[in-house]
Amino acid sequence: MNALQTTQPRTHDFTLAGARLTALPSGALWWAAESLLCVSDLHLCKAERHARRGGAPLPPYETRDTLQRLSDALQATGARTVICLGDSFDDLAAARALPEAERLELTGLMAGRDWIWIEGNHDPGPVDLGGTHLAQLTMGPLTFRHIADPSARGEISGHYHPKAQVKTRLRRISRPAFLLDRDRLILPAFGTFTGGLRSTAPELSRLMRPEALAILTGQSAQPVPMPR
Amino acid sequence: MDTTPEQTADQTSTQTMGADPGHRPIPSRITDWFSGRGWQVHPHQQAMVDRADQPATLLIAPTGGGKTMAGFLPTLAELAEGGHDGLHTLYISPLKALAADIKRNLRTPVDEIGLPIRIEDRTGDTSATVRKRQRADPPHILLTTPESLALLTSYEDAARTFAGVQRVVVDEIHALAESKRGDQLMLALARLQTLAPGLRRVGLSATVEDPAAIARLLARHPDPCAILQADPGPAPDIAMLRTDERPPWAGGGAAYAIRAVLDQVKQHRTTLIFHNTRAQAEIFFHNLWLANEDSLPIGIHHGSLDRVQRERVEAAMVRGDLRAIVCTGSLDLGIDWGDVDLVIQIGAPKNVKRLVQRIGRANHRYNAPSKALLVPANRFEVVECVAALEAVRDNDLDGEPRGPGPLDVLCQQILIAACSGPFDADALFAEVRTAGAYATLSRAAFDDCLDFCATGGYALRAYDQWQRLKQRPDGLWQLRDPRSAQRIRMNIGTIQDSETLKVRLRRNRGGKPLGEIEEGFAASLSPGDTFLIGGQIVRYEGLRETVVEVSRDAHRKPKIAVFSGTKFATSTQLSNRILDMFAQGAWPQLPGHTAEWLALQREVSRLPERGRLLIESFPHDGREHICIYGFAGRNAQQTLGLLLTKRLEETGLAPMGFVSTDYATLIWGLDAVIDPAPLFDIDALRDGLDRWLAGNAVMKRTFRASATIAGLIDRNVMGPRKTGRQMTMSSDILYDTLLKYDPDHLTMRITRTEALRGLVDFGRIEEMIARTSGIDLLRLKRVTPLAAPLFLEHGRVPVAGSAEDRLLAEETEALMSAAGLDGALS
């Protein structure tokens, strides 16, 4: 196959603990057998929290942008279950102060779906938005939690906002990335206003096995050996 | 010594100094000290004392003409009898090092005369304890930088610190006037003037093309500002370096001239060898050492070297231990080296004013001519150097007039004002308009900036609850959250540090620091790669946290370090002089090889003319080429290349790449251009520019700078970077978000304005098209003499239809199969 001619967004399929999963170019994870879409680290209302704490008034458009991209992913997959893998809100006060338009948008996305909020370090408690609030969730062979547990197997987590850099023949390209080995998958951050932690960071190197892959996001999901 | 001519700007009436016998006396203790050293008070120094009561005075004097003393003499005279409590004179310099240097130089007369004057400096290096004490108990004379002054004005006790300040001396004001640092300084002075209405301002400047423009910046608008011209001294002795070897056709290193330059170094006591870029300085220094058989002591000095290294070179220079220093603009300012008797400029100077200021670095003794040599790096630069020499002889300096005061700096000023206490918007607006650059600021523009500072100024949604500034019931504006003051203070300043990493020799722990390289360059290195820094070839070993570790490796050929630093574009005035020279029938002033080259061009094609746009079209090596002689400067020609290749692609002419110099852009592709006129339709170009700019890296970089100054993005905190810092999002995300949801946001408008006059330089493309009465397209059989050097230029830009994802796909597949992972984990 000549990848250079592919113009369709390319997804990357893989198996973790026997479950057949798909890394989407958007940074969301798709589990077709369960009709389940998983996203991590939405950090909704980040600009709001920044301003509240005396920081600069950042462009207040990131919540609607994140929700728009989430809506696109839901439409494309038709997911019946959604797992938000923690740090969905930049803090609990931000979750409570979600503006009306965005609240309606989010309610619309949740309607008719099983919606699970996993708690993260930024949002360690229930939010008044419906759905199910859990510290972690085990479904079949997989466990969903916010921060990876080094001893776990078949684990899906987020938290680190991993990104990976690849040196191409014209330039270096750095993208948010999934990190995958035979024990775990770490999702990139889905939120619009989120930075990333390079896959070369020691905490990520310690967590991932030597043969781990980084799956870069963008127009296509593209796996490379995890840069260390 | 007779009279010093005095010019006046604006409203001041003309007077001739010396005609007035009523000199204001200088206390005899001071004049005695002068005569005790065999010195005499220079006329311009006396003139500064005579004018001490004037609200603003600009002194233009060559380096070494006792300029700084002229600035301080009125202060010393006023303080000689004691009795002044608190701050009397503020001295502002663009360089920390200069402030420290002046402190030493000023101490000598003050101590030797026994004047009751306390002198202190205050820079980023001053300890927190001292800084705190200085605010409560300021010295008589405080030496500082624009950034430290802005910070001082942000404290609640600024009114007390600056109560009673009498004079401010702005040194090297010509350098500050070219950047936002000058704009920030003048806004700070406007604030000081409110706190201390009797403040008198003095500016000290090197030779400039438009002294009145600097005077307008310096004075409180609309106060008059007299301009004093010190005796400029004898005309410089300046020439082009004669070499046996001919300059090459292209390139910038001037390696051909190494021997001739070494010969000159041998014949002089101390030589400064200026380069236009740090990378070229490094390469030249390296080559100089390879040829330096006599082991003459030669050093290198540029802004990317470690401070300790730079200070060592400076100290060696002051002691007279060095015969030459290879340097860049980092030595353009300030410190008086004393014994320099030759300045060599490698590469065309691009700008006559900077050349003149550099020449002024030689021979600081009064009445001795400065001696300088120009070394063209290639054949075209021979023409440019000769044009520059003629411009120096005619004293025809160039300069682009600066636009009105930038709004990002104004936003920062509003935040600084809010830190110091509640303010009234009308009063602040009036105060800002007393700064010359902001004299024409509209209330609407000011209100936009205020709104941005208060609510973010977003079109679709406002922060009403979490505003940064809130208006109180009495109408005054104040910070909503006092915690923001600390944050705002951390971000004061307009200098943009590019992302750099420290370079150290790898040793057990903490080897010797060598300097800094750009993060992007560091990222391109693999272990074993070599590069030049501080004249040494070093081998990249690895990255430890945020430090690049290297080892010495003198035996390998270096991969060249790329440093940022602006690529200077040839000024419009200099370009016009070159075009005028082309119009001559013969070129007796040019070396034979260059004159023959131009004559041949005239024979087979034609030479570019002012007012016409020459385009040559010819096949070469199986491809079609067009060469556009726009003479618009490197940045504008580069932008032109990008825009034209886009237009060519739209019209199906399949461009494959281009390369630009200061005078021309060469484009190659599959098809010949038959009708160039539609390509240069200004509206179409502008439209293309808009679309191209939106996603452009230049715009994102410009946005980052402006948004940081305006206070939207926190400046990177100095010191070692924590891993947590990598979690912060990049400014590119903010840019993309604004582009999508709020493209007319204030910070986006500022970004556009900046980019158009900065790296994109679209203004000069518009100028070029406006002054062109017609396009001459010549169809030729082969490459022309003038176009030939472009084929050898570096920086060829391929026109890639291939997007990042295609490159990624190609590379990731290769990596996967190399790792044997084609089917793994899938």
Side-chain angles (χ1 to χ4, degrees), chain A residues 70-199:
Chain A
L70 182 54
S71 168
D72 293 347
L74 289 173
Q75 270 194 356
T77 56
R80 287 195 306 270
T81 302
V82 174
I83 296 180
C84 294
L85 208 46
D87 288 1
S88 306
F89 295 90
D90 213 45
D91 68 2
L92 289 171
R96 285 190 287 272
L98 191 65
E100 198 50 34
E102 278 86 349
R103 180 178 292 265
L104 283 174
E105 168 78 19
L106 182 55
T107 313
L109 297 182
M110 293 171 73
R113 297 192 164 97
D114 286 333
W115 199 283
I116 295 140
W117 302 104
I118 301 285
E119 289 176 2
N121 49 314
H122 279 257
D123 51 357
V127 286
D128 175 27
L129 284 164
T132 311
H133 295 266
L134 297 170
Q136 62 180 63
L137 168 70
T138 301
M139 266 179 94
L142 299 180
T143 298
F144 294 83
R145 66 164 65 91
H146 181 58
I147 303 179
D149 169 358
S151 62
R153 297 277 171 88
E155 177 193 72
I156 313 276
S157 66
H159 179 63
Y160 290 102
H161 303 200
K163 62 177 183 180
Q165 194 187 50
V166 171
K167 184 177 175 179
T168 74
R169 89 191 133 80
L170 288 192
R171 63 179 69 138
R172 283 169 179 276
I173 299 172
S174 175
R175 294 283 174 82
F178 296 85
L179 300 183
L180 171 67
D181 64 18
R182 64 172 192 254
D183 294 331
R184 67 176 38 80
L185 175 74
I186 303 180
L187 264 60
F190 194 83
T192 295
F193 280 5
T194 49
L197 181 66
R198 286 243 177 108
S199 61

Side-chain angles (χ1 to χ4, degrees), chain B residues 568-583:
Chain B
F568 293 116
T570 303
S571 69
T572 307
Q573 285 90 327
L574 201 47
S575 297
N576 285 339
R577 276 188 173 264
I578 294 168
L579 289 172
D580 289 347
M581 200 187 298
F582 282 172

Side-chain angles (χ1 to χ4, degrees), chain A residues 51 57-58 61 65 172 196, chain B residues 458 463 480 523 726 740-742:
Chain A
L58 298 175
Y61 306 121
D65 192 68
R172 283 169 179 276
Chain B
Y458 298 105
Y463 288 95
R480 175 186 56 79
Q726 292 167 304
K740 193 163 160 191
Y741 294 98
D742 207 343

